[in-house]
Amino acid sequence: MEHTEPPRARRWYRRPWLVVALVAALMLSGVGAVIGALYFESVPTPEELTLPESTTVYYSDGTTPMAKLGTQNRTILKYAEMNDAVRQSVVAAEDRTFWTNPGVDFSGILRAARNNATGGQTQGASTITQQYARLAADLKGVTYSRKLREAVMAWKLDDRYSKQQILEFYLNTVPFGRGAYGIEAAAQTFFGKTAERNAPPDQQVTTAEAMVLASMIKQPEADPSDPQGSPGYDPSRGPKALENSKSRWSYVRDNMVELGYLTRAQADALAYPNTVKRPDPAARQTGLDRPTGLVVGQVMAELRRTDQFRDKPDDYLRNGGFHIVTTIDKRVQDVAEATADIRRTSAPQIVRGQPEDWQAALVAVEPGTGRVLGYYGGSSGTGADYAGWYVDESGQPRGFGAHPPGSSFKVYDLAEALHQNVSMKSHWDSPPSKEFPASGRVKGSPAGPVRNAETAKCQPDCTLWEATVASLNVTFFDLTEKLGAANIIDTARVAGIDAMWANDPGHPDPVRVDLRGAAGRDVAPRFSNEVGIGQYPVTVLDHANGMATFAAAGKRADAHFVRSVSKRGNEVYTEKLAQRDIGLDQEKINELNWTLRQVEAAKLPNGWDSAGKTGTWQRGDSLEENSHTWMVGYTRPLAAAVWLGTTDGKALTTKDGKHDVYGASYPGAIWRQFMVDATAALKLDKNAYRFAQPTFASDRASGPPPSPAAAPPSAKATTANPTCQAPNCPSRKPEPTRSPAPPPATTKPPATPPKSADAARATLAKSAGP
């Protein structure tokens, strides 16, 4: 039976009686209360009252929840969206005359006023309208003055709004216990169902269940001063609470009959439901404690940089009732966590059981879109993030995801070499060590000559691709000098490296240098030529995006975490997918892919075409101990970067007490297992994602094109120089205007790189290993 609003004429007909009652109460309550009540306007109207509503963050499918945000668990429903069972049960439980009363309980007001004057006990029930007024104005206690103020507010509300509107306000506001506010949150919390009438019938709360929920309104939580004697009406709290709930349920059932909502036969056929869910401590959690809690931090930071959410209050997103769909694919995320969480038995054997200070981070990005598909920065969403960096709601930098990339940064050297028409078959002087006077790397200097961490059969005369496979520092330092550090920084920037950390004089910790919108020549003075062999920290997220750019044939897309934001079905924000060409044609991309495919650690056992690079950075000035190891790479549909280091910046020491920890073995094992399992989870066909073979057209005179299994034919054994010099090299397409970057800030990475360039150079003998 559905009630409609009584005619306005009838409602106004009752006003004189209300005035008489209020005047009588005011006279008994004193002049001060009279003036305060008559002119009381502090109660917010529903339009003025913004109810905190849970914001839910979802995986990329838009239906699987990742986390729930907000100070209160609340989901708002319109009156027309609520099923009859919850509407009728609440009216029967809390205000049987709701549809006909003027919003005020006259007898309760007069009783409270009379008792105040005579010293009697304060008491009296409230109408639904009065209860809403009390909730809206946060009025406490049961004193006559509270009842009086409540009545004035209720009168105001009843005069301005329809009964349907008032019931909607109330049912979205009232607490039910267990942190649930509003009828929809209560239905989900206590029965795992919905109060929405348009949902499938088997998913909606029944009349009997709605009566249980309505019973809880009387006392949503146990009395903290006497939880055993006054446990409330949540039947899960014990025998007394169950007895209370059943008694109240019977009361509501009888009222349902009296009001005509049920026939006596229907009421007698109802049974008290024993399907109330037991309290689940995890159900009260937001999901922020899981690894994906770190994703939520990135999501919130990203949205705060958009026009739709910039300059909004700190809690606007969390309490706004938004539906946020992330880019995170749950299939990929599950694999990332299973592989990179080295405390799990699902991680590669080589990294399991290692010392407690070992930590891994992994980020996977979809080439061509920039969507972050998987993100693991640590096992706790409320702990340190070792994969990324962002600015939080208070403007403070968060995240410890910046680490020296070592030799893994050499992929950007190679890309810039190709941009300047340097062949992967060009020959380079590659002795075990070499002086570079222009960079101050000479005997007797603090850093001394540049040394290789590894050896190769081709030495001392190696092609650039051979030097890549062996990760020869001498070769790449020479390459950096010839290409120019500023140009390499430019290539890293356009590929995906949005920031690097520099050792600025006067700063004890590395300083974040924002590269977005900056030219390499402008920021290069803050870095030395050691940039080409990976001295300066970058985030795992940025490095993964750089790999995605190469996987997408040199088409850069900004890495991002948000696909869309909506509220009650209305779109508020949607991702803007765009690509920018970094200036390498398909032949050069093919040569880069071919070169990185020769790296042994990048080869996958499942037959996929893959490319990658390892990297290692030493601890302090040690020649034997490492603190940072990397494996980065890609297949055509998936790119990933893995970092493995320590949480305290100390050396990576194995459980056997050894220090032979390198990129190819430990993070390499994580990367390879992740790439195999993630492509399987995505059910991708490897034959649809083969790399094209390079022609090495500029070197045809030196021999036939190489096959995938063979090295390219040798060219003349001379050190190559770029065939173009900036600004005469082919120009890259300009970058479009992007969202404002976060303000520059400093943050201390887990391990602090060398404090100065001289100190850094002194440690490079074992700096950028494989």
Side-chain angles (χ1 to χ4, degrees), residues 464-717:
L464 191 51
W465 77 265
E466 290 172 320
T468 300
V469 174
S471 206
L472 300 180
N473 293 334
V474 168
T475 307
F476 279 87
F477 198 92
D478 195 357
L479 180 66
T480 301
E481 275 200 347
K482 288 181 168 59
L483 298 176
N487 293 325
I488 290 174
I489 292 172
D490 271 336
T491 290
R493 171 181 57 80
V494 297
I497 303 298
D498 285 342
M500 292 196 300
W501 274 253
N503 302 304
D504 286 355
H507 291 272
D509 297 321
V511 176
R512 182 177 182 273
V513 180
D514 197 331
L515 302 181
R516 289 174 290 185
R521 62 178 178 275
D522 295 329
V523 299
R526 303 179 70 173
F527 305 97
S528 64
N529 281 334
E530 280 77 10
V531 70
I533 53 176
Q535 171 180 314
Y536 299 99
V538 300
T539 66
V540 185
L541 172 61
D542 282 0
H543 218 350
N545 199 35
M547 297 305 102
T549 297
F550 299 135
K555 305 300 188 295
R556 157 76 184 271
D558 288 337
H560 61 285
F561 291 84
V562 181
R563 290 181 71 123
S564 66
V565 181
S566 60
K567 185 169 183 176
R568 297 178 194 145
N570 298 315
E571 184 180 279
V572 177
Y573 168 84
T574 188
E575 65 182 343
K576 297 176 177 61
L577 300 180
Q579 295 181 348
R580 297 182 298 281
D581 197 311
I582 69 169
L584 298 179
D585 61 29
Q586 188 60 55
E587 168 60 20
K588 291 176 179 177
I589 287 294
N590 294 345
E591 291 188 29
L592 178 63
N593 293 342
W594 187 93
T595 299
L596 296 178
R597 287 185 65 192
Q598 310 312 308
V599 175
E600 191 64 30
K603 297 176 181 179
L604 298 178
N606 61 353
W608 272 79
D609 284 359
S610 56
K613 185 70 186 76
T614 59
T616 304
W617 194 263
Q618 85 294 338
R619 181 189 67 83
D621 58 359
S622 172
L623 301 181
E624 303 296 331
E625 300 173 341
N626 299 315
S627 290
H628 304 275
T629 58
W630 290 77
M631 179 72 212
V632 301
Y634 52 91
T635 59
R636 280 183 55 203
L638 185 65
V642 176
W643 166 84
L644 177 70
T646 57
T647 56
D648 52 15
K650 294 181 180 179
L652 282 160
T653 304
T654 69
K655 57 187 175 184
D656 302 323
K658 298 179 181 179
H659 298 292
D660 54 345
V661 183
Y662 301 101
S665 51
Y666 291 84
I670 295 174
W671 182 86
R672 289 187 292 273
Q673 179 174 312
F674 169 78
M675 295 296 285
V676 168
D677 292 351
T679 50
L682 293 173
K683 299 180 179 179
L684 301 175
D685 179 6
K686 61 188 175 185
N687 293 316
Y689 296 99
R690 297 297 183 188
F691 288 134
Q693 296 303 311
T695 64
F696 291 95
S698 60
D699 299 293
R700 287 187 188 279
S702 301
S707 66
S714 298
K716 185 178 180 181

Side-chain angles (χ1 to χ4, degrees), residues 748-769:
K748 187 175 183 179
T752 304
K755 298 295 193 296
S756 67
D758 286 342
R761 291 181 181 120
T763 67
L764 284 173
K766 189 74 186 280
S767 63

Side-chain angles (χ1 to χ4, degrees), residues 24 38 177 212 258 284 316 380 393 426 428 486 504 608 683 687 691 715 731 739 753-754 762 769:
L38 287 176
V212 173
E258 181 182 327
R284 295 286 296 271
Y316 179 74
S380 172
E393 295 165 338
S426 59
W428 295 76
D504 286 355
W608 272 79
K683 299 180 179 179
N687 293 316
F691 288 134
S731 61
S739 300

Side-chain angles (χ1 to χ4, degrees), residues 297-327:
Q298 293 283 357
V299 165
M300 303 300 276
E302 182 177 311
L303 288 175
R304 285 193 297 271
R305 297 195 298 270
T306 66
D307 292 339
Q308 291 85 344
F309 297 100
R310 188 182 296 115
D311 300 326
K312 291 292 191 296
D314 289 349
D315 63 349
Y316 179 74
L317 267 168
R318 297 180 183 277
N319 292 321
F322 295 105
H323 182 112
I324 301 174
V325 179
T326 70
T327 61

Side-chain angles (χ1 to χ4, degrees), residues 736-749:
T737 302
R738 294 186 240 179
S739 300
T746 61
T747 184
K748 187 175 183 179

